[in-house]
Amino acid sequence: MWAVASRTTRVPAPPVASGDGNRRLFESLAAPVGPIRVVEGGQTINPSTSDLLAAVQALAAEEAILLPNNSNVLLAAEQAALHAERHVVVVPSDSIPAGLAAMVAYDGARGAAENAEEMREAVASVATGEVTVASRDVHLNGVSIREGEWVGLAGGDPVAGGADFDEVAIAVVERLLDNGTGESRELLTLLTGAEEPRLDALLQRLADAHPTLEVDVHEGGQPHYPLLLSAE
């Protein structure tokens, strides 16, 4: 989650993110409008309503925008907005990649309402996925995955599983690139986790299969998810 002030002061507020690399990404995107403080959070460490409220209240601004960056934090963000002493708008980003896409759409010269509209559109247009390790044997959506194997998710749904990281990651990428119109999305962003996977073979396969695809790779540093992905 992160909050950002309106055009009144152009002071970004504390985001919630996991991983030093992701922290730096949010800070770099906020740099044009001012410094940013990050509230630690993630898949297993969710900030409370009071944490988010304190972050918003610390702003020297009349308005703020909250990005939960996790569906489990959405309710806390809404409660924080409800009890804040200033106007707060919640943009329901459900992942770090979605939050970053929203951050790109933010313009410090606009007010909270106008920014929130643009940021919601950015969140809706980005397709997100993850590659992680299964903690138990599962069979979901016709995909069978054994404990300790790679599992790939797109939009929160399992799309692939197995012992080969590249095969699982490729399956997720192909699902994300398909925008449902017959045309492929043009930008793929990869955020590597604390347990950083080898991406050489994956990147080569992407270059061969999608020669015009723009691929950005960043060290996110997030725990539990060796790879976070988004396509726009």
Side-chain angles (χ1 to χ4, degrees):
M1 185 284 304
W2 62 285
V4 65
S6 76
R7 59 188 175 189
T8 303
T9 58
R10 302 187 185 184
V11 180
V16 170
S18 59
D20 290 341
N22 292 321
R23 176 193 296 263
R24 289 191 293 269
L25 284 172
F26 277 103
E27 290 173 341
S28 66
L29 289 171
V33 293
I36 191 169
R37 292 180 297 131
V38 177
V39 176
E40 186 67 24
Q43 193 64 23
T44 59
I45 309 174
N46 295 324
S48 66
T49 296
S50 61
D51 293 330
L52 305 186
L53 182 59
V56 171
Q57 298 292 72
L59 286 172
E62 296 177 0
E63 298 179 305
I65 297 171
L66 284 174
L67 287 169
N69 290 351
N70 188 316
S71 58
N72 294 331
V73 184
L74 178 58
L75 181 59
E78 291 174 341
Q79 289 297 310
L82 183 65
H83 292 91
E85 296 178 356
R86 55 179 49 84
H87 178 57
V88 178
V89 182
V90 177
V91 174
S93 54
D94 59 2
S95 67
I96 288 175
L100 290 170
M103 185 73 207
V104 172
Y106 174 78
D107 183 345
R110 297 189 300 232
E114 186 178 359
N115 263 313
E117 182 178 355
E118 295 291 329
M119 295 161 81
R120 288 190 185 100
E121 291 181 3
V123 169
S125 66
V126 66
T128 62
E130 305 91 27
V131 178
T132 186
V133 177
S135 59
R136 57 185 175 84
D137 292 353
V138 293
H139 183 83
L140 296 169
N141 294 344
V143 180
S144 295
I145 306 147
R146 297 179 63 85
E147 179 182 355
E149 289 186 334
W150 296 106
V151 54
L153 303 99
D157 296 325
V159 297
D164 190 316
F165 170 82
D166 293 331
E167 291 295 332
V168 172
I170 282 288
V172 175
V173 169
E174 295 297 341
R175 181 67 63 90
L176 299 183
L177 292 182
D178 182 6
N179 65 7
T181 66
E183 297 181 0
S184 180
R185 292 185 169 93
E186 300 176 346
L187 171 64
L188 178 70
T189 301
L190 307 178
L191 303 175
T192 58
E195 297 182 9
E196 189 171 351
R198 293 285 300 269
L199 297 182
D200 295 349
L202 174 63
L203 294 175
Q204 185 59 58
R205 290 181 63 172
L206 289 174
D208 293 340
H210 303 279
T212 63
L213 178 66
E214 181 180 350
V215 182
D216 286 342
V217 181
H218 301 279
E219 295 181 2
Q222 67 276 351
H224 310 302
Y225 291 91
L227 190 64
L228 296 177
L229 312 89
S230 65
E232 303 173 63

